[in-house]
Amino acid sequence: MKYPGYTSGNIVLTEGFWYLFRVHNLIQLQDDAWYFVLRDINGLKHFLPAEYYQDYQIKPGDDISCKIDKINCTGRIHLEPRHPYYTEGEIYDFEIVKITNSDDGLSVIVKEMGGRHLEILPEGHTDEDLKAKKIVCCRVNSIKKGTLILEIV
């Protein structure tokens, strides 16, 4: 979907593309949550929930690159800032923290560079394969709200 903004003749923002945004401010709204106020290349303001991006070290005055993740039916634009360490589609090594095998299946907990623990459901791998490893190679399939969606390769 494309979004031309509120005025004609400006640059059209398109889902899946990256654009530069200026961090204008950090504010707390009525829902008691904190939001970054970003200005796009057309000068329009957008809210970015700060809680998901605490590890990104975003501050007012910064220019940050954001992907237009989604434009909903009301025209609201959902942004995903470029991750400070990881890129979608790339492969990285992750430290295995824990492996569990329950009725729901095999689950692997890994640690990312920021210290966050992430769960992976390793399709096609057995716990015997993984228990011998301390590090596992994973592809970053996507990044949503600052969280990596990983796949073991």
Side-chain angles (χ1 to χ4, degrees):
M1 180 178 264
K2 296 184 178 194
Y3 178 73
Y6 296 111
T7 58
S8 61
N10 286 336
I11 297 170
V12 176
L13 303 180
T14 306
E15 279 184 15
F17 286 83
W18 293 88
Y19 299 93
L20 204 58
F21 290 79
R22 168 72 47 106
V23 181
H24 180 66
N25 205 353
L26 177 64
I27 62 170
Q28 188 176 24
L29 295 180
Q30 295 88 349
D31 62 358
D32 289 330
W34 288 89
Y35 294 85
F36 292 107
V37 180
L38 307 180
R39 281 194 189 266
D40 67 19
I41 50 183
N42 294 313
L44 299 175
K45 292 181 181 178
H46 304 270
F47 292 123
L48 181 69
E51 70 176 299
Y52 303 123
Y53 307 104
Q54 293 175 7
D55 297 337
Y56 284 46
Q57 299 178 4
I58 298 171
K59 58 189 179 309
D62 288 349
D63 288 326
I64 61 172
S65 182
C66 295
K67 180 173 72 172
I68 306 297
D69 197 37
K70 180 181 180 181
I71 302 173
N72 70 15
C73 60
T74 64
R76 181 167 180 234
I77 296 176
H78 297 267
L79 303 172
E80 186 64 43
R82 193 172 300 279
H83 197 283
Y85 308 118
Y86 301 103
T87 303
E88 289 181 355
E90 297 294 319
I91 296 173
Y92 301 92
D93 290 337
F94 291 87
E95 177 186 340
I96 295 176
V97 175
K98 182 177 167 184
I99 299 171
T100 59
N101 200 349
S102 66
D103 293 340
D104 296 332
L106 187 62
S107 172
V108 179
I109 307 295
V110 297
K111 185 165 82 171
E112 57 126 306
M113 277 189 212
R116 245 193 242 178
H117 289 190
L118 305 168
E119 181 179 14
I120 307 170
L121 304 175
E123 295 182 26
H125 295 273
T126 64
D127 56 347
E128 292 85 25
D129 294 342
L130 298 168
K131 283 186 180 180
K133 299 179 180 180
K134 293 182 190 229
I135 302 289
V136 66
C137 291
C138 297
R139 177 179 291 109
V140 177
N141 285 339
S142 64
I143 303 171
K144 299 286 184 191
K145 296 181 180 177
T147 301
L148 306 176
I149 310 301
L150 301 175
E151 171 189 9
I152 296 177
V153 293

